[in-house]
DNA sequence: TCTTCATATGTATTATTCTTCATATAAATT
DNA sequence: AATTTATATGAAGAATAATACATATGAAGA
């Protein structure tokens, strides 16, 4: 299992069994629609249709994509009459994007234009 | 673009253009082979063949999967004769897994067994 | 309860990503 | 230079995931 401080200190980086969590977590976030959704929800909580309009996507697609985000608690939901208002888990996402921002600052000189699997 | 502190404070969460970086970053990490690779490399830096043995995978597969990790600077490489020794960027990965661990502790009561797209 | 509005779900198609096998490159050794 | 060892690359087939369309569920109000 993933461990912290790697070989240098031998301490736990990621607890036993968290490998699986990581995979789900990252898979969840490795999708442009879901990232765009989070982006929108960061600005303000919205209903599914508001999101769909705002993203220029179909309602069913937005619903489909919200589902895994909800299951991983990356977004929250609350009912308001017929509507369901989604909002982000900014506790986790704030920290997460901070890490990526730091990484990008240091390691992505091209500002995200590095080719992942192109060539 | 993704912004920090969401709607509540209006500050920048993620700088303009980082959406793309996030996508590459997460895509890169949303793969069991690559996560297992990082796991191994956290314990100690290794050559490609050592990794392949250690993972019980083909050399070419390991190579293929190391490529994007290298491109995103999630692993480093150094030459040693014919061998290429890979090691993790523990600066980024340490912080990253810390975030996920915190998230899991709080939001994944089932310990990663929450179904992502199953039902 | 019937209708409307809001969202979720099922499924088939399409698109993307992984893996494997074959082969190429490249460094060191003879 | 030829051989061996280590790694990388190309490309095709296999596996996964995403999308669109149709439809189901479910709440609220007439």
């Amino acid at each position: 299992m993933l461990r912290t401080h790697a070989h240098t200190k031998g301490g736990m980086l990621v607890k036993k069994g968290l490998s699986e969590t990581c995979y789900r977590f990252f898979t969840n976030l490795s999708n442009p629609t879901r990232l765009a959704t989070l982006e929108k929800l960061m600005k303000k909580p919205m209903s599914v249709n508001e999101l769909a309009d705002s993203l220029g996507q179909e309602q069913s697609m937005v619903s489909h994509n919200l589902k895994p985000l909800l299951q991983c608690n990356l977004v929250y939901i609350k009912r308001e009459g017929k509507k369901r208002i989604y909002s982000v888990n900014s506790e986790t996402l704030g920290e997460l994007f901070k890490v990526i921002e730091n990484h990008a600052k240091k390691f992505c000189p091209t500002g995200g234009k590095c080719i992942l699997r192109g060539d």
Side-chain angles (χ1 to χ4, degrees), chain A residues 68-110:
Chain A
L69 291 173
L70 192 58
Q71 283 182 321
C72 273
N73 289 291
L74 290 170
V75 300
Y76 301 130
I77 190 173
K78 96 185 138 168
R79 301 198 178 192
E80 231 175 58
K82 297 181 204 175
K83 297 188 181 178
R84 302 192 183 186
I85 308 299
Y86 284 85
S87 57
V88 291
N89 174 347
S90 48
E91 191 178 344
T92 292
L93 292 172
E95 292 301 307
L96 185 63
F97 290 129
K98 213 181 285 168
V99 170
I100 298 176
E101 187 171 355
N102 287 337
H103 176 84
K105 213 177 282 167
K106 251 193 177 154
F107 301 105
C108 305
T110 54

Side-chain angles (χ1 to χ4, degrees), chain A residues 22-57:
Chain A
C22 288
Y23 174 64
R24 293 176 191 283
F25 192 88
F26 292 131
T27 299
N28 208 331
L29 291 165
S30 65
N31 175 294
T33 302
R34 288 192 288 275
L35 285 173
T37 298
L38 292 174
E39 208 175 319
K40 292 291 183 184
L41 290 181
M42 273 168 177
K43 294 187 192 145
K44 71 173 205 292
M46 277 187 263
S47 72
V48 177
N49 278 322
E50 281 179 291
L51 261 174
D53 286 353
S54 166
L55 291 166
Q57 308 268 226

